[in-house]
């Protein structure tokens, strides 16, 4: 299908027409090893002689950056704007507060474009950058988790998407904690989540920090047009550490899901008739009573979630228990389990942990081997192919937590796996022909984190979808009434030229 700019006109068009992925990029973490992190390029084309091999490594110039999540300089659905090019990958460093801008013009050989030093963020009163999204006004926005001293503060900082010069804060109404966010201009809303205080999560999980209120429980609801914090939803004890948040991909949808990590609960959030938002728990993974672990009950620790482009399936990983689950969300208020697979985790047979009471399983899962390699970690980061048929998986969460929960992957390196997805009836099956072993890297083991696809053939990434993770579309190229005023302050048009349901000018049709 011919396009004028990057992306597709709709999520379903991307799902139907996008070609199979051939490359992925992953940040590889080597904190406190005396070696820098790097961006790995991996060949995932089964017809290629380099299948499942790291074909390029872009080494960073500093130590202990702890690269976490990545994002784009240009929005995913810049479908009607031929001037927009997705040629920069934004890599915030959660550990050092640097931001690396990577030139991805040559997809198989990324190179450094620019480095934003920690002082750029700290001089503006923020630190610990996390989620990157591109904005329709030519800016890039990054969520931040700390203030200049590393204490808790949820905020947002913006940059020009071409020069990456600082363009100011997005709002002056900060939340106590920050983490991920998703915005939906169609409904004039941005919703952010909360991990916790960097001084707490940065040293691993300490139960006393939880008791001291060092971890978040809120969804923070902002007016997109006014950049104001309008509402906070306290998810309570069951909602500790609301991390990854996803709106449905249907641009008319007024709802989505957030995964609450510690106690492994999924909340559905939705817009009410009065314009405010509410949330209720729709999935709960029960803890397991155990012996041989640090606590008498082991929660699931749900660390990543994503939604297929057709809004049919929700996927998430339980990092402690070791399973990935697939839920049918055709009825978003009543998700139904459709598939499940265990790939390691802390409750496998023969390990140090004995499960003494489990309301779900009759026996502990068997250990899993692939190509002779014992899976010692647990599924964490997820990325889904455009067609929804392949789920890519890595096992590293955050190096201080990796060392605490899965020290073997720190010693022996991460694994990247592929799970085949039954998109008709539901179901998950490990592809035993696919394995990328980051324990065999030339300079020693590395921890592989977020998986992201290049823009080959105008394809957007899926994880944040990531494109499954982070993309939004405007319905039928039209804009909501709430968003008109905001655009008039950002772009060279007058507010009188915008009316309810006015079609986008071509220069505005590239959004997320």
């Amino acid at each position: 299908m011919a396009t004028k700019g990057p992306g597709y006109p709709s999520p379903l068009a991307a799902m139907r027409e996008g070609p199979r992925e051939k490359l992925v990029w992953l940040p590889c973490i080597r904190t406190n090893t005396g070696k820098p992190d790097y961006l790995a390029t991996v060949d995932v084309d089964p017809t290629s002689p380099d299948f499942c091999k790291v074909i390029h490594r872009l080494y960073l110039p500093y130590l202990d950056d702890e690269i976490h999540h990545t994002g784009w300089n240009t929005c995913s659905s810049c479908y009607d704007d031929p001037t927009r090019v997705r040629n920069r990958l934004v890599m915030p460093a959660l550990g050092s507060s640097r931001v690396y801008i990577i030139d991805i013009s040559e997809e198989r050989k990324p190179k450094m474009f620019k480095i934003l030093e920690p002082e750029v963020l700290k001089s503006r009163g923020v630190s610990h950058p996390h989620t990157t999204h591109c904005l329709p006004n030519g800016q890039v926005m990054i969520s931040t988790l700390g203030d200049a001293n590393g204490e808790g503060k949820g905020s947002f900082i913006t940059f020009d998407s071409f020069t990456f010069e600082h363009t100011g804060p997005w709002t002056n109404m900060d939340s106590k904690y920050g983490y991920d966010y998703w915005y939906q201009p169609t409904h004039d809303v941005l919703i952010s989540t909360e991990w916790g205080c960097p001084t707490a999560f940065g040293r691993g999980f300490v139960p006393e920090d939880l008791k001291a209120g060092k971890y978040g429980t809120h969804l923070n609801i902002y007016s997109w047009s006014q950049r104001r914090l309008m509402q906070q939803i306290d998810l309570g004890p069951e909602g500790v550490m609301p991390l990854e948040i996803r709106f449905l991909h249907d641009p008319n949808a007024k709802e989505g899901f957030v995964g609450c990590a510690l106690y492994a609960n999924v909340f559905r959030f939705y817009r009410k008739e009065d314009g405010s938002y509410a949330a209720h728990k729709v999935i709960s993974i029960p803890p397991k009573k155990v012996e041989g672990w640090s606590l008498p009950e082991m929660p699931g620790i749900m660390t990543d979630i994503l939604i297929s482009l057709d809004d049919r399936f929700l996927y998430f990983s339980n990092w402690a228990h070791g399973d990935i689950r697939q839920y049918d969300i055709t009825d978003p208020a009543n998700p139904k389990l459709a598939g499940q697979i265990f790939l390691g985790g802390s409750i496998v047979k023969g390990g140090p942990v004995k499960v003494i009471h489990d309301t779900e399983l009759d026996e502990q899962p068997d250990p899993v081997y692939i190509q002779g390699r014992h899976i010692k970690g647990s599924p964490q980061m997820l990325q889904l192919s455009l067609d929804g048929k392949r789920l890519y998986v890595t096992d590293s969460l955050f190096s201080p937590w990796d060392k605490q929960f899965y020290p073997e992957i720190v010693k022996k390196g991460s694994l990247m796996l592929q799970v085949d997805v039954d998109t008709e009836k539901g179901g998950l099956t490990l592809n035993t022909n696919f394995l990328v072993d980051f324990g065999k890297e030339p300079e020693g083991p590395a921890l592989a984190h977020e998986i992201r696809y290049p823009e080959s053939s105008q394809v957007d990434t899926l994880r944040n979808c990531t494109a499954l993770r982070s993309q939004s579309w405007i319905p039928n190229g039209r804009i909501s009434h709430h968003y008109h005023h905001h655009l008039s302050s950002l772009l060279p048009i007058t507010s009188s030229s915008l009316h309810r349901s006015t079609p986008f000018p071509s220069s505005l049709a590239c959004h997320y």
Side-chain angles (χ1 to χ4, degrees):
M1 179 177 179
T3 61
K4 299 177 182 178
Y8 289 86
S10 72
L12 291 178
M15 191 173 192
R16 290 192 304 263
E17 300 162 15
R20 181 178 176 132
E21 64 285 352
K22 295 184 177 181
L23 297 175
V24 299
W25 295 312
L26 306 89
C28 291
I29 314 306
R30 302 191 293 181
T31 302
N32 295 326
T33 66
K35 301 174 183 178
D37 296 349
Y38 59 95
L39 181 68
T41 305
V42 178
D43 190 321
V44 296
D45 180 359
T47 67
S48 168
D50 293 324
F51 181 55
C52 287
K53 294 180 180 179
V54 179
I55 60 173
H56 185 266
R57 299 169 185 86
L58 176 63
Y59 294 96
L60 303 183
Y62 296 101
L63 301 178
D64 303 332
D65 279 313
E66 191 86 33
I67 302 299
H68 206 59
H69 291 186
T70 61
W72 301 113
N73 67 314
T74 299
C75 307
S76 114
S77 290
C78 293
Y79 181 71
D80 290 335
D81 188 350
T83 68
R84 295 297 186 100
V85 178
R86 175 170 285 175
N87 60 359
R88 303 287 184 261
L89 184 69
V90 182
M91 297 203 317
L94 189 57
S96 68
S97 295
R98 287 186 184 87
V99 180
Y100 292 95
I101 313 301
I102 309 302
D103 183 343
I104 54 170
S105 301
E106 291 186 69
E107 294 174 350
R108 299 178 71 88
K109 295 181 179 180
K111 59 186 178 182
M112 190 68 66
F113 175 73
K114 187 171 185 177
I115 302 173
L116 306 179
E117 296 291 352
E119 291 71 23
V120 175
L121 273 66
K122 292 181 178 181
S123 65
R124 274 79 181 182
V126 298
S127 64
H128 299 82
H130 186 265
T131 297
T132 302
H133 287 301
C134 44
L135 306 186
N137 62 346
Q139 293 179 335
V140 166
M141 185 161 77
I142 305 175
S143 64
T144 53
L145 281 63
D147 64 13
N149 298 314
E151 296 298 330
K153 174 184 173 181
S155 193
F156 308 91
I157 190 169
T158 65
F159 298 89
D160 182 272
S161 63
F162 296 97
T163 65
F164 287 92
E165 294 297 319
H166 175 249
T167 51
W170 182 76
T171 181
N172 60 6
M173 299 182 70
D174 302 318
S175 56
K176 184 177 181 180
Y177 300 125
Y179 189 68
D180 196 19
Y181 73 99
W182 195 297
Y183 69 99
Q184 176 52 279
T186 306
H187 305 303
D188 190 38
V189 68
L190 178 150
I191 304 180
S192 69
T193 61
E194 300 181 337
W195 187 2
C197 183
T199 57
F201 65 71
R203 62 176 183 156
F205 178 66
V206 178
E208 287 72 21
D209 288 336
L210 180 64
K211 297 175 183 177
K214 295 290 187 178
Y215 287 96
T217 61
H218 291 84
L219 297 183
N220 302 296
I221 316 296
Y222 288 83
S223 164
W224 177 250
S225 61
Q226 299 177 34
R227 305 188 182 193
R228 291 178 54 82
L229 181 60
M230 308 298 289
Q231 181 187 357
Q232 291 184 298
I233 300 176
D234 188 350
L235 302 176
E238 293 185 314
V240 174
M241 302 184 206
L243 297 185
E244 308 295 339
I245 185 167
R246 308 285 176 259
F247 260 94
L248 295 181
H249 294 293
D250 178 355
N252 291 306
K254 302 176 182 179
E255 60 188 323
F257 299 92
V258 60
C260 298
L262 185 58
Y263 298 118
N265 294 311
V266 175
F267 281 75
R268 169 183 171 253
F269 62 86
Y270 60 96
R271 185 180 180 182
K272 300 193 295 185
E273 290 297 324
D274 64 3
S276 66
Y277 280 77
H280 65 114
K281 186 176 65 175
V282 292
I283 301 172
S284 183
I285 308 304
K288 304 177 187 301
K289 292 184 179 181
V290 296
E291 294 176 347
W293 203 60
S294 57
L295 297 171
E297 286 196 345
M298 182 189 292
I301 309 185
M302 181 187 299
T303 52
D304 198 12
I305 71 170
L306 56 79
I307 298 173
S308 60
L309 281 175
D310 58 1
D311 289 336
R312 183 180 174 194
F313 290 116
L314 170 74
Y315 300 86
F316 61 79
S317 54
N318 288 313
W319 194 57
H321 292 173
D323 61 319
I324 300 170
R325 302 198 186 199
Q326 174 194 33
Y327 278 78
D328 187 323
I329 55 170
T330 304
D331 177 1
N334 296 284
K336 304 296 182 184
L337 183 64
Q340 182 180 21
I341 186 171
F342 279 87
L343 298 171
S346 296
I347 61 168
V348 294
K349 291 178 182 177
V353 176
K354 179 182 179 181
V355 178
I356 58 176
H357 182 69
D358 191 332
T359 60
E360 292 188 313
L361 301 176
D362 294 328
E363 58 180 354
Q364 292 178 234
D366 291 321
V368 180
Y369 293 81
I370 180 168
Q371 299 180 24
R373 181 78 141 84
H374 185 188
I375 298 178
K376 288 285 192 176
S378 183
Q380 203 285 104
M381 295 303 294
L382 307 176
Q383 177 61 289
L384 191 64
S385 61
L386 285 168
D387 61 10
K389 296 180 179 180
R390 292 168 301 284
L391 189 66
Y392 294 89
V393 185
T394 57
D395 50 15
S396 170
L397 173 61
F398 180 55
S399 65
W401 292 49
D402 296 341
K403 293 172 184 177
Q404 180 180 4
F405 288 89
Y406 294 104
E408 282 295 308
I409 71 168
V410 178
K411 296 176 183 177
K412 297 184 178 180
S414 284
L415 300 181
M416 178 179 167
L417 308 173
Q418 186 188 93
V419 174
D420 294 329
V421 179
D422 185 334
T423 58
E424 298 298 325
K425 299 179 181 179
L428 303 172
T429 305
L430 179 65
N431 180 351
T432 57
N433 295 317
F434 185 100
L435 174 66
V436 183
D437 189 346
F438 289 93
K440 297 180 178 179
E441 286 294 88
E443 294 187 355
L447 298 169
H449 194 61
E450 185 200 47
I451 307 158
R452 190 170 283 268
Y453 303 139
E455 192 193 83
S456 306
S457 304
Q458 308 292 356
V459 178
D460 298 314
T461 164
L462 281 182
R463 183 189 133 64
N464 222 1
C465 130
T466 64
L468 291 191
R469 285 178 169 276
S470 62
Q471 311 304 334
S472 303
W473 277 266
I474 299 296
N476 300 321
R478 294 175 181 273
I479 192 168
S480 74
H481 172 72
H482 299 287
Y483 199 39
H484 291 170
H485 176 72
H486 183 56
L487 278 175
S488 69
S489 67
L490 295 176
L491 298 157
I493 51 179
T494 64
S495 58
S496 61
S497 68
L498 294 173
H499 302 283
R500 184 182 297 273
S501 296
T502 300
F504 276 119
S506 61
S507 62
L508 304 186
C510 71
H511 283 288
Y512 320 89

